[in-house]
Each structure stands twice: as structure tokens, then as C-alpha cells.
Amino acid sequence: MVEASTVDLSPDDLSRARAHRAAVAADEPFYDDPRTGFAVKTAVHHNARGFCCGNACRHCPFGWANVDEDRFDGLGAAKLRRRALAAALDARLSAEG
């Protein structure tokens, strides 16, 4: 298992996490990715839908429950990395205040 303390956070990881946190605080269903400008669904959007859509969304609060292993090679390892990244980002942003 990948530990949150061993995850290297890139500047892009942090800027996306800050943008997501601000959008969720404002109860917004989307935010613009700071690097690409693409619209990204927030946890607010996903929670309103109420289930995992199976598309491996960045902020899926359901742990990618409906993502098909056949569609996503290495899904188990990706889920572990995703959880470690989320924990590392949460710890870092919480420390920032």
C-alpha cells in the first residue's frame, strides 16, 4: 500500500486540490482545472448524483465503485495510489489552514 507520507505532490496536484476545495466550499458542481482550463466535476456534483458513474472521475466520492477492471488496466493499483494522493493532499491543505 502506498502511504500518504511518501506521495510527492506536484504543483499541479496542489493547485487542482485548492481549486476543488474552493468550489466545494462554494457548493459548486464544477471548477476549471487551473492547468488545462477543462471543467472538472466536484464531489458536490457526484454526491448529488448519488452513485459512481464508472468513468474514474478525479473527485469520485464513491471510490470508483463502478469502474470496470477490463476498462481500466491496473485498477486496483490506481485505486491505492488515488487514496494515498487524496490523503496527502488533504493533510497538506489542512496544514495550510
Side-chain angles (χ1 to χ4, degrees):
M1 178 158 178
V2 179
E3 295 294 326
S5 60
T6 65
V7 174
D8 290 324
L9 299 175
S10 73
D12 282 344
D13 292 331
L14 291 168
S15 64
R16 282 191 301 263
R18 289 179 184 118
H20 181 252
R21 182 172 272 199
V24 168
D27 204 32
E28 295 291 333
F30 297 93
Y31 70 94
D32 292 333
D33 182 293
R35 187 175 62 79
T36 66
F38 294 149
V40 179
K41 296 173 186 173
T42 66
V44 171
H45 171 86
H46 297 295
N47 282 321
R49 184 179 45 236
F51 62 92
C52 174
C53 67
N55 289 319
C57 298
R58 184 183 293 172
H59 302 293
C60 177
F62 306 107
W64 292 352
N66 295 327
V67 177
D68 186 1
E69 180 77 45
D70 292 334
R71 192 172 151 241
F72 193 131
D73 189 35
L75 179 62
K79 284 183 176 182
L80 292 176
R81 284 191 305 275
R82 182 179 178 274
R83 281 196 290 268
L85 177 62
L89 286 167
D90 188 52
R92 175 74 175 267
L93 294 181
S94 293
E96 290 179 1

